[in-house]
Amino acid sequence: MSAVAARYDVVVIGAGHNGLVCAAQLARAGRRTLVLEARARVGGAAVTREFAPGFRASTGAHLLYGLPASLDAELGLAGHGLRSAAERLPTTSLLPDGTIADVDPGPAAIEGAARAAFDRRIARFAGYLAELHARVPPRLGTPDWSDRFELLRAGFGLRRLGRRDMRELLRIGAMNAYDLLDETFESPPLKGALAFDAVLGTNFGPRSPGSVFTWLHRLAGLGAGGGRGLWCPQGGVGALSAALESAARAAGATVRTGAPVARILVEADRATGVELDDGERIEAAVVVSGADPKTTLLRLLGARHLDAGFVRTVRHLRNTGLAAKLHLALDRAPQIVGVDPARLRGRLVIAPSMDYVERAFDHSKYGEWSTAPALEITLPSLADPSLAPGGAHVLSATVQYAPYTVAGGWELERPRLMEALLDALERHAPGLRRSVVAAQLLVPPDIEREYGIAGGHWHHLELALDQFHLLRPTPGARGHATPVPGLYLCGAGCHPGGGVTGLAGRNAAQFILRQSE
Amino acid sequence: MIETASSGTAAPHYRQPLLGTPFHARSRALAQVDQYVAWSGYSTVDVYTTVEQEYFAIRNAATVYDITPMTKYRIAGRDAVAYLDRLVTRDVARLRTGRLGYCLWCNDDGELVDDGTLFRLGESEFRLCAAMRQIDWLEASAIGFDVSIEEVTERIAALSLQGPVSCAILKAAGLGEVATLPPFAIGRYDLDGIELTISRSGFTGDLGYEIWMDPSAAEAVWDRLFDVGRSRGLRAIGSRALDLARIEAGYLSPWIDFVPAEHAIRVGRARSPLELGLERFVDFDKGHFTGRRALLEERRRGPRSCLVGLDVEGNKPARAALLYADARCRREIGAVTSAVWSPTCKRNIAIARVDAPFSALGTSLWAEIYLNRELVWERRITRARVVERTFFAPERRRATPPADF
């Protein structure tokens, strides 16, 4: 119990990238805004950290693809130190026979003509989705004219695709990536790499219904990114968070780190502020949480302020992650068979066929990891030497699939998975094992603990048609509002989900400003 | 032969879908017309002799009614008070230990899930008695609370002893201290080594008690009550007679006067406490409870319909009658849910749902009553007036100690 501190218009819980974007936008609109971050540094899962002495890696997201160019411009992030280290990174598929496949589009693309036609059409669909991403979803069945307008707008956007494309989008929208790619392409490596992108960071395999949607979701982000493609900032993904923090501060927001929120204060059925772990109370007219919905609603707010049916719905939201992160400190640059230096700076995937990815997924359904994992590998220190000591390098890989709960428990299984991953890498990079100085493997429970994301899912809540748009975070949710007046959500658990887009934060800020008009 | 819940003999359950209560052997001996009814998995008596005979015993002497099948939950734990305060609409923190209260619980939309009585047996130990099983809703409500919920229906046998001489019978049975028990209080007593919990509560609107015991003591307690009660007019009653009494008292019955929200399939069929005329049991100032925000919104907007009492002209019960604003039946405004000729009030009474604009006391309506007279249907358009829903509320139900009759 300590004295009541200064009163703010808005207190934002969590300085993840969405929290920072939301705070920056609210501060720009003149709100006295305070951001509270539990950890010592801002960024949440968009962070670059030292994982071994002298070696730094982006230990959450390691590539950017979905940051809208418009947001970058709005906040003037270049002016806050955001520089790109590498853009339009190529994707190279590593094949079991030691060869590689260039799976990028372009004049030299595999199955060039079919690819170009397919990409054109898919880009239109992704463009439609990107429009949905940038707006707060409406509610169904309300007399509110703005809800009706948004609904009409969404319907009109769909209609504008034209009859043929609209029909095609409706056909493939809930389809699985495996069947769609199989009816479009021949090349197993091409299909494998595209299917891998479709399921990256989700609880899906290529054959899971809805995996076309998750792919479109990713492509929508890429399309809004202003032509940067896959990219990485100078200094790692954490540099984005640093720029966002700087933008928020410049707009007038206060950012406090090492200030974990213990609970959200409620008086007379209205959020009135927060209480920190050390008992400090901070009053605010509006509380915005960038934490995931389960953490926000069930832990920080508490079931007693919510209706029982709603709590049951929140508890049943699917939120366990299925992707792990591997970080290796290497004493020299890795040699990967068949990959030239330019491609080595890009993205390497081990997903030689759709069946390979599906088999890796199969194990996860039964609480196992696969000895033949699908991987997304980057070597960020090649383009950004600041990440490792001279001559040494960093390997950062996303590992699919690592279930939240494994038979045997992660204490036992983590070293075994590490060994399997080193074996898989060694097949393509002979000698890599000997060059490993230090290694870190973050499985979903580690991600949960490191970043405070219940379930350790990239998107906070599973990204799936039943947890998207009108249905995210819960069916009938009123935009970013919660049932408790004055409490809002701004994290990836809201529409449009995660992927370091900042859109959830930006939409939340717009929603809150509109509410207080 | 019907199995009793506690007998534990090995007949497979599917051969005997309905259980007998621990009082079954005793009630069987008195059930002259062999009319039984299924109630929450138990076979219970609907009519022992005639409905009229049983009804008049409720109002003029005393009756026992076997309430063992009533669903009973034990709710205990560190957060029991907080849990119940979030579950039900009344202020549980203000319910003292050793007291019970009528309470309602709603879903998120403020629609009534069920009603029942909540017994506070200890600082953080409660018993919730309800018409229906609903462990699913109770457990969903427990997410985030340190509380244990256990169904104890089969572990507790219960008899409802109701009527003006009910206290006199308990005194004659050797339970004289019961006389000091005020309404809605709970006491623990010893009857020749049998532990009894007795609460001053019931479903008849009259003086009465509910007696809670271990199933093994059921027959001994029944016998003792009848040994001393027979000369005072004590009778066993079935569900039909009780239904007459509860309508006179203005109490609601699930499935008859409202559809429990979790069972309603059609949109708009579930009812809120405001629509059921139960707003006085909703405490908006105690803090959050499930449905509070929806109910506040409904209160602001005004409920769509109201469940009211009706005084119907004539003596033909307006069972299931449609209600109209005009005698020519052009504007339908509601329907009767429960109706009976009240022998005690000498009035033709009904409980009815009417559209909100017609719910004010004194409003005059028209009921379309159908009568089957030796297989010939007759239609009567009868005037009815909106009145207080409590038709029968004698002073003796509150008097402590109760008068001897």
Side-chain angles (χ1 to χ4, degrees):
Chain A
M1 291 297 129
S2 68
V4 168
R7 192 183 160 83
Y8 289 88
D9 294 330
V10 182
V11 54
V12 177
I13 302 170
H17 75 280
N18 276 314
L20 290 171
V21 167
C22 186
Q25 301 281 43
L26 291 171
R28 271 154 47 99
R31 301 293 189 275
R32 272 172 53 78
T33 304
L34 170 70
V35 184
L36 295 168
E37 168 57 43
R39 305 292 188 277
R41 293 171 56 189
V42 301
V47 71
T48 303
R49 290 208 292 216
E50 191 172 71
F51 68 96
F55 292 87
R56 293 192 303 136
S58 301
T59 51
H62 63 179
L63 288 173
L64 296 178
Y65 62 89
L67 188 73
S70 55
L71 183 66
D72 196 342
E74 261 168 53
L75 297 177
L77 295 180
H80 293 285
L82 185 65
R83 300 274 179 280
S84 153
E87 293 184 356
R88 286 187 289 280
L89 294 172
T91 297
T92 307
S93 175
L94 309 180
L95 304 178
D97 62 0
T99 63
I100 63 153
D102 169 5
V103 293
D104 284 321
I110 300 172
E111 299 182 48
R115 181 74 191 271
F118 181 73
D119 282 354
R120 246 194 325 274
R121 192 172 230 186
I122 285 288
R124 293 199 69 199
F125 301 160
Y128 169 62
L129 208 56
E131 287 174 26
L132 292 188
H133 285 189
R135 305 188 67 87
V136 177
R139 284 175 301 165
L140 291 180
T142 71
D144 194 334
W145 66 267
S146 66
D147 284 327
R148 291 174 178 187
F149 173 75
E150 278 301 324
L151 207 58
L152 275 175
R153 202 186 152 100
F156 183 67
L158 191 61
R159 193 69 193 83
R160 222 175 39 211
L161 291 171
R163 191 164 53 177
R164 280 186 53 205
D165 275 1
M166 180 176 81
R167 203 160 53 204
E168 179 64 2
L169 177 57
L170 293 176
R171 182 182 78 91
I172 69 171
M175 202 176 160
N176 69 72
Y178 191 104
D179 288 341
L180 177 64
L181 290 167
D182 224 22
E183 70 181 30
T184 314
F185 300 115
E186 301 285 340
S187 156
L190 175 63
K191 289 190 283 187
L194 295 180
F196 180 57
D197 271 357
V199 297
L200 203 51
T202 70
N203 275 267
F204 291 151
R207 281 184 188 272
S208 307
S211 47
V212 168
F213 159 72
T214 50
W215 190 24
L216 289 174
H217 186 275
R218 182 179 169 85
L219 293 175
L222 267 170
R228 269 177 167 167
L230 290 169
W231 67 287
C232 196
Q234 193 78 47
V237 170
L240 168 66
S241 300
L244 289 171
E245 181 192 6
S246 169
R249 285 187 193 276
T254 309
V255 181
R256 273 178 67 182
T257 55
V261 170
R263 62 192 188 98
I264 294 163
L265 302 172
V266 177
E267 263 168 54
D269 203 30
R270 191 178 170 85
T272 56
V274 296
E275 185 178 298
L276 304 185
D277 273 0
D278 63 10
E280 182 186 349
R281 284 162 168 251
I282 298 165
E283 283 187 36
V286 165
V287 177
V288 189
S289 175
D292 65 275
K294 285 194 184 182
T295 299
T296 303
L297 296 169
L298 303 185
R299 188 164 74 74
L300 299 179
L301 178 65
R304 65 192 60 196
H305 298 295
L306 297 166
D307 289 345
F310 180 78
V311 167
R312 178 162 57 180
T313 302
V314 171
R315 220 224 335 223
H316 288 168
L317 294 171
R318 301 194 307 286
N319 72 323
T320 52
L322 196 54
K325 260 319 281 298
L326 173 71
H327 308 114
L328 299 179
L330 308 171
D331 62 10
R332 70 195 84 136
Q335 300 297 314
I336 295 183
V337 179
V339 183
D340 62 44
R343 296 208 145 264
L344 209 52
R345 290 170 174 237
R347 182 169 77 127
L348 311 172
V349 297
I350 299 181
S353 71
M354 294 198 288
D355 284 335
Y356 179 94
V357 181
E358 185 71 25
R359 284 203 187 92
F361 172 66
D362 284 343
H363 292 273
S364 73
K365 292 187 286 193
Y366 309 108
E368 301 158 4
W369 46 269
S370 169
T371 50
L375 297 179
E376 178 190 65
I377 304 156
T378 62
L379 297 157
S381 53
L382 290 174
D384 185 353
S386 72
L387 297 173
H393 284 281
V394 170
L395 181 148
S396 168
T398 297
V399 180
Q400 302 248 107
Y401 298 86
Y404 182 83
T405 311
V406 281
W410 275 117
E411 279 319 299
L412 207 65
E413 295 296 319
R414 198 187 284 99
R416 297 183 58 209
L417 175 56
M418 176 72 91
E419 283 304 306
L421 292 169
L422 291 174
D423 283 348
L425 290 168
E426 184 80 12
R427 278 195 282 278
H428 297 279
L432 178 113
R433 205 181 243 286
R434 279 196 312 278
S435 69
V436 175
V437 181
Q440 179 190 48
L441 177 61
L442 301 176
V443 293
D446 301 324
I447 293 171
E448 175 175 69
R449 197 171 45 246
E450 289 290 314
Y451 305 118
I453 302 169
H457 196 296
W458 288 11
H459 293 278
H460 287 194
L461 299 179
E462 183 59 44
L463 192 63
L465 282 170
D466 66 305
Q467 293 190 160
F468 182 67
H469 201 229
L470 304 163
L471 307 173
R472 192 176 184 91
T474 57
R478 191 165 59 86
H480 294 262
T482 66
V484 176
L487 175 64
Y488 299 86
L489 297 171
C490 74
C494 306
H495 177 77
V500 200
T501 66
L503 284 171
R506 176 160 75 170
N507 289 351
Q510 277 170 6
F511 183 83
I512 291 162
L513 291 171
R514 215 163 54 217
Q515 295 276 302
S516 55
E517 263 167 21
Chain B
M1 177 66 202
I2 286 180
E3 289 298 319
T4 63
S6 54
S7 67
T9 46
H13 65 90
Y14 53 84
R15 293 223 178 271
Q16 188 58 63
L18 289 181
L19 294 170
T21 77
F23 301 103
H24 184 76
R26 294 295 184 269
S27 55
R28 171 90 241 174
L30 300 177
Q32 294 177 7
V33 294
D34 213 22
Q35 284 188 36
Y36 288 81
V37 64
W39 176 13
S40 287
Y42 286 91
S43 170
T44 58
V45 179
D46 207 20
V47 183
Y48 279 91
T49 54
T50 70
V51 176
E52 291 74 15
Q53 207 168 26
E54 294 168 30
Y55 165 81
F56 282 108
I58 299 174
R59 291 297 180 224
N60 298 318
T63 54
V64 291
Y65 179 64
D66 181 357
I67 54 171
T68 307
M70 194 153 58
T71 310
K72 308 180 249 334
Y73 295 99
R74 179 181 183 273
I75 295 169
R78 196 166 53 96
D79 290 343
V81 174
Y83 165 79
L84 286 163
D85 254 330
R86 201 288 214 99
L87 177 77
V88 305
T89 60
R90 70 178 286 155
D91 190 344
V92 175
R94 281 174 49 197
L95 183 68
R96 284 179 288 147
T97 299
R99 295 286 160 145
L100 67 104
Y102 173 69
C103 58
L104 314 167
W105 48 106
C106 297
N107 64 13
D108 292 18
D109 297 327
E111 298 161 343
L112 194 63
V113 172
D114 201 357
D115 64 346
T117 44
L118 182 65
F119 293 66
R120 187 164 193 171
L121 302 175
E123 186 52 33
S124 50
E125 186 190 348
F126 293 82
R127 183 184 299 153
L128 183 65
C129 297
M132 285 173 308
R133 293 206 157 75
Q134 45 205 310
I135 193 75
D136 177 61
W137 182 252
L138 297 182
E139 289 193 340
S141 298
I143 298 170
F145 293 88
D146 180 2
V147 67
S148 75
I149 301 159
E150 213 183 340
E151 193 188 321
V152 293
T153 304
E154 291 190 12
R155 278 192 254 154
I156 299 166
L159 282 180
S160 181
L161 176 68
Q162 302 282 311
V165 304
S166 53
C167 184
I169 288 173
L170 288 174
K171 282 196 277 190
L175 293 160
E177 315 94 287
V178 170
T180 59
L181 207 60
F184 303 110
I186 308 163
R188 287 181 205 279
Y189 304 93
D190 180 277
L191 182 68
D192 301 342
I194 300 171
E195 240 179 79
L196 297 179
T197 298
I198 299 180
S199 56
R200 188 158 166 192
S201 49
F203 205 50
T204 59
D206 205 333
L207 175 66
Y209 300 86
E210 289 170 329
I211 308 168
W212 314 83
M213 68 210 88
D214 188 88
S216 63
E219 292 183 351
V221 172
W222 177 287
D223 291 343
R224 173 66 74 93
L225 290 177
F226 275 92
D227 283 349
V228 300
R230 203 163 277 122
S231 60
R232 292 173 167 85
L234 180 67
R235 298 192 79 90
I237 61 158
S239 307
R240 294 270 300 281
L242 180 68
D243 193 51
L244 294 189
R246 73 95 193 159
I247 297 172
E248 289 179 331
Y251 295 154
L252 306 185
S253 205
W255 299 111
I256 296 172
D257 300 299
F258 68 93
V259 179
E262 298 298 284
H263 294 266
I265 293 166
R266 293 169 181 83
V267 175
R269 292 296 195 271
R271 298 280 174 253
S272 80
L274 310 188
E275 290 175 305
L276 295 174
L278 300 172
E279 186 169 348
R280 66 187 184 283
F281 298 105
V282 180
D283 186 344
F284 284 107
D285 301 322
K286 69 165 183 164
H288 186 67
F289 57 87
T290 298
R292 179 176 182 271
R293 294 177 190 117
L295 288 171
L296 277 174
E297 174 60 20
E298 183 181 339
R299 189 170 68 167
R300 193 186 61 74
R301 226 180 39 230
R304 290 167 302 174
S305 66
C306 293
L307 205 63
V308 298
L310 287 187
D311 191 324
V312 185
E313 284 186 356
N315 60 4
K316 304 294 181 246
R319 281 190 197 101
L322 291 179
L323 299 172
Y324 297 89
D326 57 309
R328 296 168 76 176
C329 300
R330 279 180 303 202
R331 181 166 176 206
E332 192 186 316
I333 53 157
V336 169
T337 55
S338 294
V340 69
W341 164 261
S342 165
T344 302
C345 307
K346 306 283 186 283
R347 287 160 81 192
N348 192 20
I349 60 174
I351 298 172
R353 180 189 54 76
V354 295
D355 292 345
F358 298 89
S359 61
L361 289 181
T363 306
S364 187
L365 315 168
W366 297 88
E368 183 183 19
I369 303 171
Y370 282 82
L371 303 169
N372 188 329
R373 309 194 124 183
E374 294 177 324
L375 300 185
V376 173
W377 283 102
E378 288 177 18
R379 176 170 176 259
R380 301 276 171 84
I381 309 300
T382 308
R383 188 187 289 276
R385 204 162 38 82
V386 176
V387 295
E388 285 287 352
R389 203 168 69 204
T390 308
F391 302 98
F392 176 72
E395 274 313 308
R396 66 183 180 229
R397 80 189 192 283
R398 291 223 181 98
T400 308
D404 268 323
F405 289 95

